[in-house]
Amino acid sequence: MAGPRSSPRARAREREQPLAPAAGSDQVHSWTLVTNQALHTAWRIAKGSVMLAVSFLVATLCYFQRMHLYVGHRLKWWIGYLQRKFKRNLSVEAEVDLLSYCAREWKGETPRAKLMRKAYEELFWRHHIKCIRQVKKDNYDALRSVLFQIFSQGLSFPSWMKEKDIVKLPEKLLFSQGCNWIQQYSFGPEKYTGSNVFGKLRKCVELLKTQWTEFSEIKDYHKRGSMCNVLFSDAILEYKLYEALKFIMLYQVTEVYEQMKTNKVIPSLFRLLFSRETSSDPLSFMMNHLNSVGDTCGLEQAGKKSEKTPCSELVALSLPTCGWKA
C-alpha cells in the first residue's frame, strides 16, 4: 500500500526553501577573500612603485632637459665669444670680389666716388686684379699690408738682405756707425726703453727673418694662406714683426744717409726724404716720423707731418724692404 502523498502546496513550499550549503563552501569563500586581499595589496604596492618610477623618470627627464638647455646656452655663448674674439684679432680679412667691394664702398655720384669706381674698374680689367682683402685699420695698417703681401705671395729676401745677417743690424748701427741715438727708438706705445732697445730689436728682427724664411720656402699657395690666417690673428706676434719692418726702414735710411755724405748717387725717394726739415737725417726721421708709427698714427699719417712732399713717401719707403720698387 502506497504511503501518503504530500499535497501540491507542501511540495511547493519544499522547493522554495534554500538548499543547505555544500560541505567546504566556507573554506572556498575564505580562500577567495584572502586571494583578493593579496592581489589588492600587491596592486597597491606595484602601483606605488610604478608611480614612483614614473615620477623619478619625469624628474630625470626634466633635469636633463634643463641641463641640455643650460649647456647649449653656455656653449652657444662660448662659440660666439670665440668667434667674436677671432674675428676681432683677424687683422686681414678673407678675399672679396673687387668690383663688389667697390660698388659697396663707393656709392653715389660725387666726383670722388666716380673717380674711385673708375680706378677699381681699371685694376680689374687692365691689371686683372679680381679680389681684394680688407686690412684692419690701426696705426700699423700700412706695414700690415706690406707684410701680408710678402708672406702670402711667398716672396724671397731682397738681394741686400741675403748678403747681410739682418739679425746683427741693431748692433751694427751702434758699434760700426756710432748711432747711440737709436736708444730713443720707440716700440709703438713704448716711449723709451734705453739700453734694452738692442735686445728687443734683435728679437723682433730675428722673428721676422724666421717667419720670412718659412713662408718663402712654402710653394703651396693655400698652405701659405692658412699660415697667414694663423699669423695675422696673433696681435703680439704681428706687432713684433711690424717693429722689425720699422727698424729695417730706419737702417736703410741710415745707410743711404752715409752714402749721401760721401757724394754718392742716391735714389730720388731718399733725396725727397732728406729734403724735409723733419727728416733731414736718420735721427730726425726716427724721432719725428718713425717713432709715431704704431703709437699715435700710421705710416701715411706720419708722412703728413710735413707738407713739402707727398705723405705716400713713407709708405713707399717700406716697399724696398720686400724687394719692390717705389
Side-chain angles (χ1 to χ4, degrees), residues 218-264:
I218 297 174
K219 305 304 180 183
D220 185 78
Y221 172 78
H222 298 288
K223 186 175 181 180
R224 288 199 306 269
S226 299
M227 293 178 61
C228 281
N229 290 337
V230 175
L231 190 151
F232 287 94
S233 61
D234 188 336
I236 297 177
L237 187 64
E238 276 189 79
Y239 296 154
K240 290 180 180 179
L241 296 173
Y242 302 148
E243 291 300 326
L245 284 181
K246 282 173 54 180
F247 170 73
I248 290 177
M249 292 168 59
L250 177 61
Y251 174 79
Q252 288 187 302
V253 169
T254 305
E255 284 283 288
V256 176
Y257 184 75
E258 294 296 324
Q259 295 174 9
M260 186 182 69
K261 291 194 299 185
T262 59
N263 296 324
K264 290 185 178 180

Side-chain angles (χ1 to χ4, degrees), residues 95-107 116-126 128-133:
E95 290 183 350
V96 295
D97 181 73
L98 180 69
L99 295 182
S100 299
Y101 173 81
C102 173
R104 184 175 68 251
E105 296 293 325
W106 297 100
K107 300 177 182 179
M116 293 302 298
R117 287 199 297 268
K118 182 178 179 181
Y120 275 104
E121 289 173 359
E122 185 172 353
L123 286 174
F124 186 87
W125 295 111
R126 178 174 296 185
H128 308 291
I129 298 176
K130 307 298 181 182
C131 298
I132 192 173
R133 292 177 182 265

Side-chain angles (χ1 to χ4, degrees), residues 107-325:
K107 300 177 182 179
E109 297 300 325
T110 62
R112 181 172 176 80
K114 291 180 180 179
L115 182 63
M116 293 302 298
R117 287 199 297 268
K118 182 178 179 181
Y120 275 104
E121 289 173 359
E122 185 172 353
L123 286 174
F124 186 87
W125 295 111
R126 178 174 296 185
H127 300 282
H128 308 291
I129 298 176
K130 307 298 181 182
C131 298
I132 192 173
R133 292 177 182 265
Q134 286 187 277
V135 176
K136 179 181 176 181
K137 294 182 180 180
D138 59 10
N139 293 329
Y140 286 109
D141 50 6
L143 294 176
R144 181 177 292 111
S145 300
V146 172
L147 190 66
F148 182 83
Q149 292 295 329
I150 295 174
F151 289 168
S152 64
Q153 297 182 23
L155 300 179
S156 59
F157 287 103
S159 57
W160 74 269
M161 282 190 180
K162 295 178 180 178
E163 297 170 358
K164 300 178 181 179
D165 185 2
I166 61 174
V167 177
K168 297 180 181 179
L169 295 183
E171 287 83 358
K172 180 180 178 182
L173 287 183
L174 176 63
F175 298 111
S176 300
Q177 297 174 293
C179 300
N180 294 324
W181 46 262
I182 200 175
Q183 296 185 30
Q184 302 177 62
Y185 181 92
S186 294
F187 293 84
E190 297 183 38
K191 300 297 183 182
Y192 180 73
T193 53
S195 59
N196 295 329
V197 68
F198 299 102
K200 294 188 68 172
L201 281 174
R202 184 183 181 93
K203 290 180 180 178
C204 291
V205 175
E206 186 175 7
L207 177 63
L208 176 64
K209 181 180 180 181
T210 301
Q211 292 290 329
W212 197 332
T213 302
E214 184 176 357
F215 274 92
S216 62
E217 292 176 351
I218 297 174
K219 305 304 180 183
D220 185 78
Y221 172 78
H222 298 288
K223 186 175 181 180
R224 288 199 306 269
S226 299
M227 293 178 61
C228 281
N229 290 337
V230 175
L231 190 151
F232 287 94
S233 61
D234 188 336
I236 297 177
L237 187 64
E238 276 189 79
Y239 296 154
K240 290 180 180 179
L241 296 173
Y242 302 148
E243 291 300 326
L245 284 181
K246 282 173 54 180
F247 170 73
I248 290 177
M249 292 168 59
L250 177 61
Y251 174 79
Q252 288 187 302
V253 169
T254 305
E255 284 283 288
V256 176
Y257 184 75
E258 294 296 324
Q259 295 174 9
M260 186 182 69
K261 291 194 299 185
T262 59
N263 296 324
K264 290 185 178 180
V265 178
I266 62 174
S268 59
L269 169 66
F270 292 96
R271 287 200 303 270
L272 290 173
L273 182 70
F274 295 134
S275 67
R276 303 196 305 185
E277 295 180 359
T278 57
S279 58
S280 57
D281 54 50
L283 174 59
S284 60
F285 167 71
M286 182 186 75
M287 298 299 296
N288 296 323
H289 298 282
L290 203 59
N291 277 354
S292 301
V293 177
D295 180 19
T296 58
C297 63
L299 206 58
E300 302 95 329
Q301 291 77 22
K304 293 181 180 179
K305 294 182 178 181
S306 172
E307 298 180 356
K308 190 173 181 180
T309 52
C311 65
S312 59
E313 179 180 313
L314 287 181
V315 181
L317 184 59
S318 65
L319 299 184
T321 301
C322 58
W324 296 343
K325 294 183 180 180

Side-chain angles (χ1 to χ4, degrees), residues 16-85:
E16 291 176 358
Q17 292 179 356
L19 297 175
S25 59
D26 291 340
Q27 186 177 2
V28 172
H29 181 67
S30 63
W31 276 107
T32 302
L33 291 176
V34 171
T35 303
N36 289 338
Q37 291 177 354
L39 290 175
H40 181 68
T41 304
W43 167 246
R44 284 191 304 173
I45 296 175
K47 184 179 179 180
S49 300
V50 170
M51 292 299 295
L52 181 62
V54 171
S55 300
F56 178 76
L57 181 60
V58 171
T60 303
L61 291 176
C62 291
Y63 172 78
F64 279 109
Q65 183 180 14
R66 292 181 181 179
M67 181 63 69
H68 173 74
L69 293 175
Y70 174 78
V71 173
H73 175 74
R74 298 301 299 177
L75 184 62
K76 183 178 180 181
W77 185 89
W78 275 107
I79 291 175
Y81 170 77
L82 292 175
Q83 287 178 343
R84 291 191 301 271
K85 184 178 179 63

